[in-house]
Amino acid sequence: MTDRTAGDMHGSAAKAADGAEELRDQIERTRGELGDTVAELMEKADLKGRAMARAADLKDKAGAMTVQLRSSAAQAGHAMQDRATRAGHVVQDRATKAGHTVQDRATRAGHTVQGKATEAGHAAEHGAPRPVRTVVRAGLRHPRPVLVAGAAVGALVAASVLRRRRGGRRR
């Protein structure tokens, strides 16, 4: 063998070794990529796991919505309670004012009647004959005997009315 042949063989062996090493690296890379691809495919094929993850997400969203709805309902309840309280106060104020108005009118009417009665009493007292005025003054000073006498007169009038009615029915 010549130098050239031995060198060619050594160079060919080195190239073959480099080629084999490169082939091993390429195979290793392909295995890694294939493993990643298989993992991705398994993840996509794991329907149960994906469904459970989706269910957990939906459960979280539902919980958040429940909290939000409860808060909104509580706020609406407070707002309605405030409005009802204000409306109750308005009604109470109006009723109080109406009561005062009625009371004021009744008081004025009472004063008017009292004034007219007093005027009528004075007119009757001054316009009546002197003996009648004397009896009226005595009656005002001592009202009990006047009331007893008035009751007796009322009883006599009632009895005579009843007699007339009975007498009229018999005929």
Side-chain angles (χ1 to χ4, degrees), residues 32-46:
E33 289 172 4
L34 184 59
D36 292 343
T37 303
V38 168
E40 287 176 16
L41 286 173
M42 287 182 67
E43 188 178 308
K44 287 182 181 180
D46 183 17

Side-chain angles (χ1 to χ4, degrees), residues 117-129:
T118 302
E119 287 176 20
H122 287 303
E125 183 182 346
H126 293 297

Side-chain angles (χ1 to χ4, degrees), residues 10-22:
H10 182 56
S12 292
K15 280 185 185 179
D18 286 341
E21 186 64 34
E22 187 177 322

Side-chain angles (χ1 to χ4, degrees), residues 100-112:
H100 286 254
T101 300
V102 168
Q103 185 178 7
D104 290 345
R105 287 181 183 172
T107 301
R108 276 189 254 125
H111 285 269
T112 301

